[in-house]
Amino acid sequence: MDKPVLLCAGGTGGHLFPAEALAHELHSRGVCVHLATDERAERFAGTFPADETHIVPSATITSKNPIALARAGWQLFRGLRQSGRLLAQLKPAVVAGFGGYPTLPPVMAASRAGIPSIIHEQNAVMGRANKFLAGRVTAIAGGFLTAGDGPFDNKIITTGNPVRPEVLEAAKGPYKPAVNDEPFNLLVFGGSQGARFFSEIMPEALVQLPAELRKRLRITQQARPEDQEELSRFYEDNVVDAEISPFFGDMAQRIANAHLVISRSGASTVSEVSVIGRPSVLVPFPHALDHDQAANAAALEVQGGAQLIRQSELDADRLSKLLTSFMEKPQTLVEMAKNAKNAGQPDATRLLGDLVTDIASGKSPFEQRGAQQ
């Protein structure tokens, strides 16, 4: 490919990480990669493999205040004009957006200029920026989106979400159930709000757990710094083997070591748990925009790889009974692990790279999907 590819993403990790994975893949194929983003991406500048990064004016549309809307509209208009000049300079083969409002100006400019474009949607529910762009792009790469329904069904190619190399390495290990009196590794984690909820409910649930099962538990739990001391003291007082920390740098390996994962259901989390192939109880963040976490969890549950429980429906009594059932019937977890693994998409990065190069070469990305259907 002689022409470069322009990647566009909002300046947060959730948007930039899949774009970064695609950038590495395209570089390995000899493709020049440029990145269009906002100022927030500067903290990731050292790791993102772009030949050049371009900061494009943008704004998030959240307020209904007329003045705020006018300011946001003006910023997006400035971004659109600057993106038009950037595209005229780069002449990219493809423009690829990864969500967030900073993708709007470059992808819209590409549509106006007749340049092929794609968007990648991590979640099972399309975000607002991607939904706005969906009718303008050549193709939509879906992390959990599937061809079959919705107004943009004819554009969706299911690629999955790119995962980190350490996740692919951890996925090589098979799931080994904890049987009889063997230790049972329980991993509990979530974002800051998830960590708070789990820190409150786990102690109450474990108090109700039969003593012989409580002795088997080996808990790894993410907790907010302000909750860490109290939670650690509870586990120590109740003689429960537990490691508590606000952050774990080796999360992929900890997922692989787990007999059961209890977590929120962000797109990256669900993707990693399914690629590694571990059974999970997914508790979606109840205030997530567009309820995307609930949709992500449902996508894995319907394939038998997870159990979705809404936070409002999960109390200590239900969690205690659930843990008891899983620990006494390890075969249930074996089946869930198998189903999660089957649902995983370890080749997502390669599939995304194929999609971009197919579109750049003028090949229809929908031919293979039609053959599969």
Side-chain angles (χ1 to χ4, degrees):
M1 191 189 303
D2 296 330
K3 295 182 178 181
V5 170
L6 178 62
L7 305 183
C8 320
T12 62
H15 297 306
L16 282 167
F17 291 156
E20 179 183 339
L22 177 58
H24 281 294
E25 176 69 16
L26 293 175
H27 269 164
S28 73
R29 302 185 187 199
V31 178
C32 176
V33 175
H34 286 246
L35 172 67
T37 185
D38 59 33
E39 293 85 354
R40 296 173 298 170
E42 290 180 359
R43 56 185 166 156
F44 301 104
T47 59
F48 200 102
D51 293 270
E52 191 172 348
T53 298
H54 310 272
I55 303 301
V56 175
S58 182
T60 301
I61 303 173
T62 55
S63 174
K64 294 182 179 180
N65 181 288
I67 296 177
L69 285 173
R71 287 174 178 169
W74 172 245
Q75 282 292 93
L76 290 170
F77 176 73
R78 288 181 58 230
L80 183 62
R81 293 191 64 180
Q82 183 173 321
S83 296
R85 293 192 293 269
L86 179 63
L87 295 182
Q89 173 192 338
L90 295 179
K91 296 179 173 60
V94 178
V95 174
F98 284 83
Y101 280 97
T103 64
L104 290 180
V107 177
M108 288 176 66
S111 175
R112 291 174 61 176
I115 298 172
S117 59
I118 71 166
I119 52 175
H120 177 267
E121 176 55 61
Q122 284 186 285
N123 294 293
V125 175
M126 198 174 292
R128 288 172 292 176
N130 275 348
K131 191 178 296 183
F132 181 82
L133 293 169
R136 296 168 168 81
V137 298
T138 309
I140 301 168
F144 289 103
L145 294 177
T146 56
D149 58 3
F152 307 109
D153 166 54
N154 62 325
K155 293 186 176 185
I156 296 173
I157 302 289
T158 302
T159 60
N161 289 317
V163 294
R164 299 167 293 151
E166 53 264 41
V167 173
L168 296 176
E169 184 64 28
K172 296 177 181 178
Y175 180 75
K176 298 178 180 179
V179 297
N180 300 322
D181 295 329
E182 292 178 348
F184 186 94
N185 298 328
L186 177 63
L187 175 62
V188 184
F189 67 96
S192 59
Q193 294 297 324
R196 177 183 180 182
F197 172 71
F198 293 136
S199 293
E200 292 172 350
I201 195 172
M202 282 297 297
E204 297 177 28
L206 294 187
V207 167
Q208 301 181 38
L209 204 65
E212 63 273 15
L213 296 182
R214 194 162 58 241
K215 290 178 183 178
R216 294 175 55 200
L217 282 175
R218 304 292 183 269
I219 297 175
T220 299
Q221 184 169 346
Q222 182 185 33
R224 300 183 307 167
E226 56 266 41
D227 297 329
Q228 184 175 358
E229 183 178 350
E230 182 179 351
L231 190 61
S232 297
R233 186 164 53 249
F234 167 83
Y235 286 132
E236 184 177 340
D237 291 346
N238 287 273
V239 197
V240 176
D241 188 340
E243 183 177 359
I244 314 299
S245 176
F247 176 77
F248 294 101
D250 56 346
M251 185 60 80
Q253 190 56 51
R254 291 177 185 271
I255 292 174
N257 293 340
H259 294 110
L260 176 65
V261 174
I262 300 177
S263 71
R264 291 301 197 196
S265 50
S268 295
T269 294
V270 177
S271 297
E272 293 184 0
V273 168
S274 58
V275 166
I276 295 173
R278 295 299 179 263
S280 58
V281 174
L282 300 176
V283 186
F285 179 52
H287 307 298
L289 287 175
D290 305 314
H291 301 289
D292 52 356
Q293 288 206 9
N296 297 339
L300 187 54
E301 182 183 52
V302 76
Q303 297 186 69
Q307 183 167 342
L308 185 167
I309 305 179
R310 298 188 182 279
Q311 182 170 310
S312 60
E313 299 172 354
L314 183 62
D315 57 19
D317 181 63
R318 183 173 181 182
L319 181 56
S320 178
K321 290 177 180 177
L322 194 63
L323 287 172
T324 299
S325 176
F326 280 144
M327 294 178 74
E328 292 180 343
K329 300 174 183 177
Q331 190 58 36
T332 301
L333 296 179
V334 171
E335 289 301 314
M336 289 175 67
K338 178 182 176 182
N339 293 334
K341 188 85 167 179
N342 290 338
Q345 288 275 16
D347 293 332
T349 305
R350 178 185 61 79
L351 293 173
L352 264 177
D354 289 347
L355 178 59
V356 169
T357 53
D358 282 351
I359 290 175
S361 64
K363 180 181 177 182
S364 171
F366 305 104
E367 292 176 0
Q368 186 175 3
R369 192 186 88 168
Q372 290 174 344
Q373 290 177 338

